Amino acid sequence: MSPLKKTAVVTGASSGLGAVYADRLAARGYNLILVARRADRLTTLASKISAEHGAEVQVLAADLESEADLQNIEQILSTDSEISLLVNNAGLAKLRPLASSPLQDSTTQIGVNITALTRLTHALLPGMVARKEGAIINIASVLAVHSLATSSVYSGSKAYVLAFSRGLQAELANTGVKVQVVLPASTATEIWSEEVSGVPLSALREDTVMTAEDCVDAALTGFDMGELVTWPSVADAELWKTFDDARFTLFAATQVGTPAPRYRQS
């Protein structure tokens, strides 16, 4: 990844993984467009990054649940030819049983984790394909492949991010545009609080929690290695290969056109 003053867009950039991505990408030579709701934090981060790395940093205070804000970002993504990287990092987790959760908890997770991510990718992708270069990094979660009793909507939304990214990878083969999907496990970010997810960081086993810095550095190393799917905390890379091979084998087994014998009435 060696841009000649290209621009990277990072959503959810005011803290956590997004703030670390912003710092690391600026260190690699990118100018930045940082998107998040909290303008004060974005401004502070932008000043720090500009001073440390000499990057040009544009701040966009935006709520990805807002139609007007989304349209504004879409307009920028679809018209700025200097944008060569999009990090779809913004995400929301509400970890509670569905039956006892407000409907808004579900719709906001779907809106940020699925709808906004899809729309921003949609806005940027045609230009990247036309230029035959660019990259999109989508932040999913290990809960994309595992659901808890409290994570039905969150896991469903992150499963979408994984499947969406895999489909794009096949679609964009040989176009010069790369898509990486990253699946972090528990990471020390503000998502772990009573106010945000409903689960405080203190409720997690300390030895299972990765720092945001380690997670992003691992993900960017995976990006540099050409990985399409990156699991920052998984030491045995063969585990993913085995899982993915089994998925393909299962899919192939569906292509028969007749009910399985166990479902046929005698």
Side-chain angles (χ1 to χ4, degrees), residues 156-232:
S157 70
K158 292 302 185 176
Y160 172 88
V161 175
L162 176 59
F164 176 71
S165 300
R166 296 292 275 159
L168 282 181
Q169 288 163 0
E171 174 184 336
L172 298 170
N174 305 314
T175 66
V177 180
K178 176 179 178 178
V179 177
Q180 179 199 28
V181 58
V182 181
L183 296 95
S186 299
T187 310
T189 69
E190 292 179 4
I191 202 170
W192 296 109
S193 68
E194 290 285 0
E195 296 77 20
V196 180
S197 67
V199 180
L201 186 63
S202 59
L204 306 178
R205 266 184 30 223
E206 186 176 350
D207 63 332
T208 68
V209 180
M210 187 179 292
T211 67
E213 291 78 8
D214 281 349
C215 184
V216 172
D217 288 341
L220 285 172
T221 298
F223 185 97
D224 293 339
M225 293 166 58
E227 285 188 347
L228 299 180
V229 182
T230 297
W231 301 77

Side-chain angles (χ1 to χ4, degrees), residues 66-76 119:
S66 161
E67 178 64 25
D69 287 355
L70 259 181
Q71 287 184 2
N72 182 43
I73 301 167
E74 286 172 324
Q75 175 68 15
I76 293 168
R119 286 181 59 169

Side-chain angles (χ1 to χ4, degrees), residues 80-127:
D80 188 343
S81 62
E82 293 300 308
I83 296 173
S84 63
L85 176 63
L86 168 64
V87 182
N88 275 314
N89 166 72
L92 183 64
K94 298 288 186 181
L95 302 178
R96 301 179 182 89
L98 189 68
S100 58
S101 297
L103 176 60
Q104 188 175 0
D105 280 3
S106 297
T107 57
T108 55
Q109 288 180 93
I110 293 167
V112 175
N113 299 355
I114 295 178
T115 304
L117 178 143
T118 304
R119 286 181 59 169
L120 297 186
T121 302
H122 222 294
L124 183 66
L125 198 55

